[in-house]
Amino acid sequence: MCDVCVMNAVKERMLSRRDFFKTSAAVGAAATVGMAAAPAAMAAGHGGVVDMSHKLSPDFPTFFGVPGISMEQQFNFAEHGFNLMNLAINEHTATHIDAPLHFSADGNSVDEIPVSDLVIPLCVVDIAAKAAEDADAQVTPDDLKAWIAANGDIPDKACIAMHSGWAAKSGDAAAYVGNDADDVKHFPSFHIEATQMLLEETTAVAMAVDTLSLDHGPSPDFATHYAWLPSGRYGIENLAGLDNVPAAGATLVVGAPNHVGGTGGPARIFAMV
């Protein structure tokens, strides 16, 4: 048999095997989906995807004021034929997850967050107008009640996200962190009373902010962290793109890291709208 004939025969066999596995995977996926009911927010379908993550770089503002990631090139293409970086990363930098373990003695680590809690309905509470007037603005029970009045009940296992407009400040560390002359930070987040309302009246599994912390900048006690995370829920900080998604109806897909024992970690997050 000629070389060309052999090559064509191999290609045909590879294509036929590839088609077989694609078909098998599709059937398997359909069977899996058939075994578990999709949340209502997902069942309706979506027409687009919105990136909700800031890029992870040494320039992104951090809570402690030091770069959250360093990158060292160990191999380069010119010398070795491939590129490879060694990374050193603070778990809580750029768009990232706060696992229950972050503020508890024995809560779930980031690798233990159930995957069913990572694809969830997104509810966006917009406080951008009052945050523009007051850097220490907080989501209150009244804000949550207003959202419910406009959009209906908070869906099961939802993520409640605060949109304060702060993501637009991320290129300016001084504006994003808001340190004053006394080194007190100033940025919006959730009031403890709103946090308690979500804990008592909803099945929400995640809380998200477009700022550095689940607690507002001048918080002396991290009350929201200590209430929310030990309950088994998780948090998302430095979320982006909230001005590009609706108040209700989107599905959040959280690409949480899964390093064993982690208290959180940078995440690639997107919304299906």
Side-chain angles (χ1 to χ4, degrees), residues 225-251:
H225 274 88
Y226 279 114
W228 188 257
L229 298 179
S231 74
R233 281 93 164 167
Y234 68 93
I236 303 171
E237 294 171 336
N238 300 314
L239 198 62
L242 286 166
D243 53 339
N244 295 319
V245 296
T251 296

Side-chain angles (χ1 to χ4, degrees), residues 75-122:
F75 298 95
N76 65 77
F77 192 83
E79 295 180 52
H80 308 103
F82 65 98
N83 293 307
L84 185 148
M85 298 278 191
N86 281 331
L87 307 179
I89 304 174
N90 181 313
E91 289 178 310
H92 300 272
T93 189
T95 304
H96 68 273
I97 303 298
D98 278 8
L101 183 60
H102 185 37
F103 269 71
S104 63
D106 56 1
N108 281 351
S109 54
V110 70
D111 58 299
E112 295 173 327
I113 296 174
V115 69
S116 59
D117 290 352
L118 299 175
V119 182
I120 50 181
L122 176 62

Side-chain angles (χ1 to χ4, degrees), residues 138-156:
Q138 298 180 77
V139 175
T140 66
D142 285 343
D143 293 316
L144 296 179
K145 291 173 184 176
W147 188 96
I148 293 169
N151 301 285
D153 290 341
I154 291 172
D156 288 340

Side-chain angles (χ1 to χ4, degrees), residues 41-42 45-46 48 50 52 120-124 155 158-159 244-253 270-273:
M42 295 172 58
H46 300 284
V50 176
M52 309 295 287
I120 50 181
L122 176 62
C123 306
V124 181
C159 172
N244 295 319
V245 296
T251 296
L252 197 67
V253 181
F270 59 92
M272 297 188 295
V273 297

